[in-house]
Amino acid sequence: MTTQRISPRIGAIAPSATLAVDSKAKALIAQGRPVIGFAAGEPDFPTPDYIVEAAAQALKNPQNFRYSPTPGLPALKEAIVKKTRRDSGVDIEASQVVVTNGGKQAVYEAFATVIGDGDDVLLPAPYWTTYPEAIRLAGGNPIEVFADSYQDYKVNVEMLEAAYTPATKALIFVSPSNPTGSVYTPEETKAIGEWALSKKIFVISDEIYEHLTYDGVQATSILKAVPELADYAIILNGVAKTYAMTGWRVGWLYGPADVVKAATNLQSHLSSNVNNIAQQAALCAVSGPLDAVHSMHEAFDRRRKTMVEGLNSIDGVFCPTPQGAFYAYADVRGLFGKSIGGVTIDSSATLAEVILDQAEVAVVPGEAFGPSGYLRLSYALGDADLAEGLGRIQKLLATAV
Ligand code: PMP
């Protein structure tokens, strides 16, 4: 055996910082400490009953106990075609869809399918923590393009152009964004789509938060903004966030025929079809109404306002108002160099630790998503816990000297 037991590719994967905060918080809770979690990446609502009922019915049909086509149940793919027309104004065919084991598998398959050794991928930062790992696993190099709080964490064409090289093969585009909650306007989306088209690079567009937008803002699919991108666009989506179905593990991608064929080949060896019961539940979800997301929306919107106001009332903290998803991304660089409870704040990782240790509130440091200096706070938690957690943070940070 060679000296290295774990393969270099897998050994190089960074542990998920979001999960690290989560497990530390859970360990404290297990010790009986009243930790409030702002780290969650999932709605705090149950999956709607009628969707659960569809799964229960599916359990009674033995056909669902057998293998089904790798790229997904035909009825689900058809429902995704209709849903895409309804929600994005984009026309696709069922043959362009691959149903995956959650949006995460769609992310992985998209990069694995088009990225090879040495290819560069433009990665707007702050980014969702899975993207760079999926890019590196495919042999590619994530090229971070960082947009700061004063530009709402949104990149523009000039910034992408400055990072572009002949090795650039793809751009990842996420709107609404995890971790920042930023939403690109139709004009911004169009400009970026047209720029990508002019470079003939793939755009991998993650639209999983499409229905979670606020202040009357709507998410724009990059394919709607620039239909000519059809040969270069791979769109990622899933039921997790819209229908409170994170644990069911159903997502999908759609794209040009050659990409879909290759991704299906990969999935046929990787995981075959997605669990049929979960696919039947997803079929019920995507072919049904959007009532669930509308009722979650009201609660999220209310909590979003409380969260942003509360954060901006703290000296040294600046939080732009997010218009999508369920995260606030606070710029905390104003606290750097200060001391809290005897600890000097030299990074957002230190600050997150201090907040967990001294205020018993779990937040995710910016280091998980790009540069230090920021905290991600999910507002997918109950109003009372939100108020309590915010109060504790405000009280603790007021002691910074
Ligand atoms: N994309 C983004 C931007 C996400 O935040 C998530 C979930 N955290 C996913 C994709 C994956 O969702 P899932 O695998 O649960 O469907």
Side-chain angles (χ1 to χ4, degrees):
M1 192 169 74
T2 54
T3 49
Q4 198 169 4
R5 282 165 58 83
I6 304 301
S7 94
R9 273 198 178 173
I10 303 302
I13 298 176
S16 160
T18 40
L19 291 185
V21 172
D22 202 51
S23 54
K24 188 163 178 198
K26 284 195 175 122
L28 289 172
I29 291 168
Q31 290 167 21
R33 287 173 61 182
V35 173
I36 290 184
F38 286 157
E42 58 185 339
D44 58 320
F45 298 93
T47 303
D49 284 345
Y50 69 95
I51 297 175
V52 177
E53 186 51 34
Q57 287 305 321
L59 272 171
K60 295 185 182 140
N61 180 355
Q63 228 183 323
N64 290 320
F65 308 158
R66 325 291 307 180
Y67 289 126
S68 60
T70 294
L73 295 174
L76 175 54
K77 294 202 299 176
E78 284 298 342
I80 290 168
V81 168
K82 288 207 185 93
K83 170 249 168 284
T84 303
R85 192 172 303 134
R86 178 192 67 186
D87 299 342
S88 312
V90 169
D91 279 319
I92 55 167
E93 289 177 21
S95 60
Q96 290 178 261
V97 178
V98 184
V99 178
T100 56
N101 193 53
K104 220 172 226 181
Q105 187 169 349
V107 170
Y108 178 82
E109 287 180 9
F111 286 120
T113 299
V114 298
I115 299 304
D117 288 336
D119 289 336
D120 287 350
V121 179
L122 297 178
L123 174 66
Y127 50 77
W128 180 42
T129 179
T130 290
Y131 300 137
E133 302 302 342
I135 294 165
R136 281 190 211 103
L137 268 172
N141 312 308
I143 307 294
E144 284 182 38
V145 184
F146 179 69
D148 218 328
S149 51
Y150 57 81
Q151 54 189 112
D152 271 345
Y153 305 112
K154 292 195 276 191
V155 299
N156 56 37
V157 166
E158 292 69 44
M159 296 164 74
L160 294 172
E161 181 69 46
Y164 176 85
T165 72
T168 306
K169 181 92 183 276
L171 159 73
I172 173 104
F173 183 74
V174 195
S175 173
S177 154
N178 175 5
T180 64
S182 300
V183 182
Y184 286 79
T185 65
E187 296 73 30
E188 290 164 345
T189 307
K190 188 165 193 274
I192 290 174
E194 283 177 346
W195 175 81
L197 183 64
S198 77
K199 300 293 189 197
K200 293 194 162 38
I201 59 174
F202 282 102
V203 177
I204 296 171
S205 178
D206 188 336
E207 302 183 354
I208 202 157
Y209 292 99
E210 64 185 336
H211 291 296
L212 285 170
T213 55
Y214 313 98
D215 300 335
V217 163
Q218 282 202 338
T220 308
S221 172
I222 202 153
L223 252 186
K224 168 76 176 161
V226 187
E228 301 81 4
L229 259 182
D231 267 351
Y232 293 96
I234 306 173
I235 311 292
L236 317 177
N237 210 325
V239 294
K241 319 287 173 173
T242 304
Y243 305 98
M245 291 178 73
T246 45
W248 295 78
R249 311 309 305 136
V250 183
W252 60 86
L253 62 81
Y254 61 83
D258 55 346
V259 168
V260 166
K261 185 167 170 238
T264 304
N265 277 341
L266 167 62
Q267 184 164 306
S268 75
H269 293 291
L270 184 70
S271 54
S272 302
N273 63 274
V274 172
N275 178 319
N276 292 320
I277 309 297
Q279 286 198 72
Q280 297 286 0
L283 169 59
C284 172
V286 297
S287 52
L290 290 166
D291 299 355
V293 71
H294 291 150
S295 54
M296 288 195 291
H297 184 272
E298 201 184 306
F300 284 150
D301 192 18
R302 183 177 66 240
R303 299 168 189 173
R304 174 183 71 113
K305 289 176 179 149
T306 309
M307 177 69 99
V308 173
E309 254 176 51
L311 289 169
N312 279 323
S313 73
I314 302 170
D315 257 0
V317 176
F318 166 57
C319 186
T321 302
Q323 290 180 315
F326 38 67
Y327 308 102
Y329 207 66
D331 183 339
V332 294
R333 288 173 298 174
L335 293 166
F336 281 14
K338 301 211 167 175
S339 170
I340 299 173
V343 182
T344 302
I345 306 305
D346 54 0
S347 68
S348 43
T350 305
L351 181 60
E353 241 184 281
V354 166
I355 292 174
L356 184 55
D357 290 341
Q358 298 184 32
E360 302 188 309
V361 179
V363 299
V364 188
E367 283 83 344
F369 313 106
S372 180
Y374 308 84
L375 297 178
R376 189 191 78 173
L377 298 95
S378 161
Y379 47 86
L381 79 170
D383 296 75
D385 279 352
L386 177 76
E388 166 70 21
L390 251 182
R392 287 190 204 169
I393 294 178
Q394 286 168 328
K395 206 166 140 205
L396 177 69
L397 299 190
T399 67
V401 282

